[in-house]
Amino acid sequence: MDKQTELMIITMEECGELTQACSKVLRTDFRKESVEDLSKEVADVMCMIEIMKDQGLIKHSDIVQGIQNKRTKLKIWSNLIVGS
């Protein structure tokens, strides 16, 4: 298996684990252990994103722009972002 395939597979697996951790937090009413697991899974996904950047697959500037775009959409379509 080449490096990029391995990177994509591990990233997909980590995203799946993050999805499960989010669900568990909700099911356990934000119990401390569940939130700790959530933090671990977020870190794992962020690590994989960093590796994607290191490998030149994605650019930091594109991520920053994407985050700004998402925040703008969330201001309109959700209650998560408040203010200007």
Side-chain angles (χ1 to χ4, degrees):
M1 171 182 331
D2 64 51
K3 276 187 170 186
Q4 285 193 333
T5 300
E6 183 178 12
L7 176 58
M8 293 297 101
I9 289 170
I10 294 171
T11 301
M12 288 185 295
E13 290 171 350
E14 294 300 345
C15 288
E17 291 173 14
L18 177 56
T19 300
Q20 289 178 327
C22 289
S23 178
K24 187 173 182 180
V25 166
L26 292 174
R27 284 185 282 115
T28 61
D29 199 28
F30 292 80
R31 194 176 309 145
K32 182 182 178 192
E33 302 83 33
S34 299
V35 174
E36 289 171 355
D37 186 50
L38 176 66
S39 293
K40 176 198 169 297
E41 297 304 339
V42 167
D44 289 351
V45 169
M46 290 179 74
C47 174
M48 299 313 296
I49 292 167
E50 288 293 319
I51 293 170
M52 285 184 198
K53 288 181 351 185
D54 294 345
Q55 297 288 325
L57 189 61
I58 57 177
K59 293 189 278 185
H60 180 75
S61 59
D62 292 340
I63 294 170
V64 170
Q65 184 61 54
I67 289 169
Q68 291 172 347
N69 294 345
K70 185 63 174 183
R71 284 182 160 278
T72 298
K73 289 179 184 178
L74 289 171
K75 283 181 188 178
I76 297 167
W77 300 108
S78 82
N79 296 316
L80 295 174
I81 309 293
V82 181
S84 56

